[in-house]
Amino acid sequence: YPAGFVYVFLGLYYATGRGADIRLAQYIFAGLYLLNLLLVFRIYCRTNKVPPYVFFFMCCASYRIHSIFVLRLFNDPVAMAILFLAINLFLDERWSWGCLLFSLAVSVKMNILLFAPGLLFLLLKRFGLLGCIPKLCICALLQVVLGLPFLLVNPVGYLTRSFDLGRQFQFKWTVNWRFLPEEIFQNRAFHALLLLVHLAGLGLFALHRWHRSRESILSLLKDPAERKYPSPPLSIVFVLFSSNFLGVCCSRSLHYQFYVWYFHTLPYLLWCTPTPKLAHMPKVLLLGVIELCWNTYPSTVCSSLSLHICHGLVLLQLWYGTAPLPAPHAPQPSRKPAPLAKKAQ
């Protein structure tokens, strides 16, 4: 893991009497869970998309999420809590502080990089190419500062092991690919195909769902003041959450603790599109099926296939529910006959 993970869990190690006081560690993670919910609720209040009753399912209906936080004490919740704090800062237009916290979250768990394509798009849209370079430097500089004690001793070892993109996962733990033979699951060609699908999905969303201006997407490289057409308002939350969800859908393997990567974003992804009254219950049912898939241990062919079907349905409604509205047509000239002139007196 990167350096931020080492510092966080080193602090927990000493705070709990060298790891002996497990109950105290659980209290700390319970507090982290409540903080995480507070940060998520603030994001949802700002977006005003999700009906209030859905928050019951977010808080009370997931055994797996409670287990990940309070029983298992994984680092994934720590990274996600910092990430949600960064998103709150982005919503408050505090981009430099948000980038700092985003980088801190990456230093705890590398899965935060799934949000990075969306963040890069937002930075280009908000600041242009030259304007976003200082923000990217903030992200990079923090990684260097946190990793400095390890970079000075063994830079190659630290970089290759902390950010190991080629890590091989064990088939017995996979939640999403159980229906495949293990030979295919471990095949590098399969991994490369997933990466291509991921990049293609990001490209399609960037071109046709995130980018709303009449100009080419290359206009994002310009200074915002020099763009020909002003961009319509864009949901920061939609770009970041959809970027992460695309990465989750194309992951080489999802383990049980990875559920927290996107659990708290699912209500937004399901309700951010226009929702008729009759469509509310199917969306709640979809949340329930996803929860059931993550609570099936060990995973089965049926549970992993069901998870992919649910992910596909979410992607379809994101794609078609956020389609650009057709351009308004110019009003047609009136075809009514001109009134007849009055006869001369």
Side-chain angles (χ1 to χ4, degrees), residues 50 82 89 93 99 118 130 143 149 177-179 209 217 228 251 269 294:
V50 180
I82 299 172
L89 291 169
E93 290 291 320
C99 288
L130 294 178
Q143 294 299 322
W177 296 115
R178 178 68 63 178
F179 62 91
R209 292 300 178 265
I217 195 169
K228 186 176 180 181
S251 291
L269 294 172
W294 283 95

Side-chain angles (χ1 to χ4, degrees), residues 280-339:
H280 282 267
M281 286 311 298
K283 292 188 177 185
V284 173
L285 179 62
L286 201 59
L287 285 176
V289 174
I290 292 174
E291 177 70 22
L292 182 62
C293 294
W294 283 95
N295 279 299
T296 302
Y297 176 80
S299 62
T300 63
V301 170
C302 181
S303 68
S304 59
L305 271 174
S306 299
L307 186 63
H308 278 288
I309 292 170
C310 291
H311 287 172
L313 291 174
V314 175
L315 277 178
L316 284 175
Q317 72 96 29
L318 280 177
W319 182 261
Y320 289 105
T322 59
L325 296 174
H329 296 286
Q332 297 292 330
S334 176
R335 297 181 180 272
K336 293 182 179 180

Side-chain angles (χ1 to χ4, degrees), residues 37 59 69 203 235 237 245 316:
L37 283 178
C59 296
F69 270 90
S235 172
V237 179
F245 185 69
L316 284 175

Side-chain angles (χ1 to χ4, degrees), residues 24-46:
L24 176 59
Q26 290 182 303
Y27 286 148
I28 293 172
F29 271 81
L32 178 69
Y33 175 65
L34 295 176
L35 175 63
N36 187 80
L37 283 178
L38 179 64
L39 294 170
V40 171
F41 286 172
R42 188 173 186 272
I43 293 170
Y44 277 81
C45 286
R46 296 288 295 272

